[in-house]
Amino acid sequence: MSLAIIDDDFMVCTDCLMIIANDDASGLDYSLGEEEAEVREHEILEAIAEIQREEGQIAVGDSGKDDEFSSSPCACCGTRLAGARHHCVLLGDSRER
Ligand SMILES: [Zn+2]
């Protein structure tokens, strides 16, 4: 099976990027209380797991394509909170296209 980019415009929020890139949600604690951070981390991990099950692997893309400020919903967790969106790509089985 060969992996190919199936979505080259997968823009995620900073929280999601942190977890996708570093598998690290500790940064959430800075902006949220401990309990809230746990809920948020869980929400993001669920979203990532679902995308990986249904669509493909999320990989960090080109930081040159980041959007410093956007009000579009995060492609991963769906937050509508305006802020930075980071470029990621979805990798999937190219044969399915
Ligand atoms: Zn997100």
Side-chain angles (χ1 to χ4, degrees):
M1 179 177 131
S2 61
L3 286 178
I5 292 176
I6 54 173
D7 186 348
D8 186 30
D9 188 32
F10 196 81
M11 303 300 285
V12 307
C13 69
T14 304
D15 291 350
C16 288
L17 181 78
M18 196 162 59
I19 294 177
I20 292 165
N22 306 317
D23 201 18
D24 173 22
S26 57
L28 292 174
D29 291 335
Y30 296 115
S31 50
L32 301 168
E34 204 173 312
E35 243 168 71
E36 270 176 295
E38 254 172 56
V39 171
R40 179 85 174 112
E41 178 183 357
H42 201 76
E43 185 180 283
I44 295 171
L45 290 176
E46 294 258 290
I48 292 173
E50 191 179 325
I51 290 161
Q52 295 195 330
R53 213 166 37 231
E54 307 287 328
E55 299 178 67
Q57 292 282 333
I58 307 169
V60 177
D62 177 357
S63 58
K65 293 184 185 169
D66 286 1
D67 197 342
E68 272 174 45
F69 188 85
S70 169
S71 53
S72 313
C74 167
C76 183
C77 71
T79 185
R80 294 187 166 270
L81 215 64
R85 295 291 180 268
H86 304 272
H87 180 249
C88 284
V89 296
L90 269 187
L91 299 173
D93 186 348
S94 55
R95 285 174 308 181
E96 281 173 22
R97 298 217 97 192

